[in-house]
Amino acid sequence: MSQLFSLATKRALITGSGRGIGFLMAKGLAEAGAEVIINATQQAGAQSAAEKLRALGHTAHAVAFDVTDSHQIHQAIDDIEAKIGPIDILINNAGIQRRRPFLEFAEQDWNDVIAVNQTAVFLVSQTVARHMAKRQSGKIINIGSMQSELGRDTITPYAASKGAVTMLTRGMCVELARYNIQVNGIAPGYFATEMTQALVDDKAFTEWLTKRTPAARWGNPEELIGAAVFLSSKASDFVNGHLLFVDGGMRVAV
């Protein structure tokens, strides 16, 4: 059974993993045996996170690149493959949020959200998958959201970007399964993170959330690690095109 979930001998790239949920998933994969590659926009942030993992005895590398810049992506992925080794697992975690009423949402904010949350998934996945296809092996995990299927005030562009990630995941599954590449997604519900701190601090919102969620609480970021390890491991070799909701049951409750 332990071999099903072991990531020993595997190498994983996690975008946006210098901090937050991305860092926790990188740490979780490292604890399962993976060699991890920390990505952030700035080298200092990536290096700091990698050093924390190395201090715990894990093998970690720091590679900075902008996930919205195709030139930087191609250069970084080629360098990783040539100097560090083949990428066996890709987690597209980098993401941003902008909150404004739909009628007041600025075009540049829309462009920023779509570039990071949607276009970057396409660009990074395509570049990494070209290498995976040659090896006839790989795992790609796209971080979606409960808003991949649900709407909410002030985050319509975010929901649109995460809905697109769902269809990217399904389309990539259809096209890449023939190369023995499994493409799945994780859709977190409401987790207490830096991105949601304002909502966590909002007493009225937290009261609404706990009543609306069957688990009756916010999610802890560490609770996403198991889903990431499962979808990265041999245990999920016949799981493809799936969106795994980790939301305390919120999406299915009425």
Side-chain angles (χ1 to χ4, degrees):
M1 180 63 69
S2 63
Q3 293 304 308
L4 281 177
F5 296 95
S6 172
L7 299 180
T9 75
K10 300 299 182 182
R11 187 174 293 104
L13 167 63
I14 305 95
T15 66
S17 52
R19 61 180 181 173
I21 287 175
F23 177 75
L24 288 174
M25 287 191 290
K27 182 172 179 285
L29 266 60
E31 290 172 347
E35 177 181 349
V36 298
I37 301 163
I38 299 293
N39 160 257
T41 305
Q42 301 299 322
Q43 184 65 25
Q47 189 64 41
S48 175
E51 287 173 358
K52 291 177 183 177
L53 294 182
R54 288 197 286 266
L56 295 172
H58 304 305
T59 302
H61 310 273
V63 179
F65 62 89
D66 183 344
V67 296
T68 67
D69 186 318
S70 59
H71 176 75
Q72 289 189 36
I73 292 167
H74 292 152
Q75 184 65 57
I77 300 306
D78 286 347
D79 285 348
I80 291 169
E81 290 273 337
K83 299 176 183 177
I84 298 175
I87 299 169
D88 304 295
I89 302 158
L90 166 65
I91 301 183
N92 286 301
N93 167 75
I96 62 171
Q97 176 64 291
R98 297 283 188 273
R99 298 179 185 277
R100 295 283 188 282
F102 178 74
L103 296 179
E104 302 170 16
F105 214 94
E107 181 179 357
Q108 188 57 55
D109 284 337
W110 164 271
N111 290 339
D112 291 343
V113 169
I114 296 302
V116 178
N117 295 358
Q118 178 179 336
T119 306
V121 175
F122 165 74
L123 293 173
V124 179
S125 295
Q126 185 185 61
T127 306
V128 173
R130 285 171 175 158
H131 293 277
M132 289 179 169
K134 295 175 184 177
R135 295 189 288 269
Q136 295 284 299
S137 178
K139 302 271 189 180
I140 298 176
I141 303 166
N142 298 326
I143 304 302
S145 168
M146 193 166 59
Q147 269 68 46
S148 293
E149 295 188 3
L150 299 175
R152 181 166 176 79
D153 279 352
T154 74
I155 60 168
T156 295
Y158 178 84
S161 71
K162 292 301 185 178
V165 168
T166 295
M167 293 313 300
L168 270 169
T169 301
R170 293 171 179 170
M172 287 163 59
C173 160
V174 171
E175 294 205 51
L176 299 178
R178 69 196 68 172
Y179 302 109
N180 191 32
I181 299 171
Q182 291 84 54
V183 186
N184 293 287
I186 298 175
Y190 282 94
F191 281 77
T193 66
E194 292 179 22
M195 186 181 289
T196 61
Q197 190 59 50
L199 296 177
V200 174
D201 294 339
D202 186 327
K203 183 178 179 181
F205 185 88
T206 293
E207 288 179 354
W208 170 83
L209 176 71
T210 54
K211 291 178 181 178
R212 177 70 176 77
T213 306
R217 63 177 175 83
W218 284 87
N220 298 316
E222 292 82 0
E223 292 173 306
L224 288 166
I225 294 173
V229 170
F230 166 62
L231 292 176
S232 298
S233 70
K234 185 175 177 60
S236 63
D237 279 356
F238 203 56
V239 178
N240 215 346
H242 179 67
L243 191 62
L244 176 55
F245 282 84
V246 186
D247 64 357
M250 189 177 189
R251 186 179 64 99
V252 300
V254 295

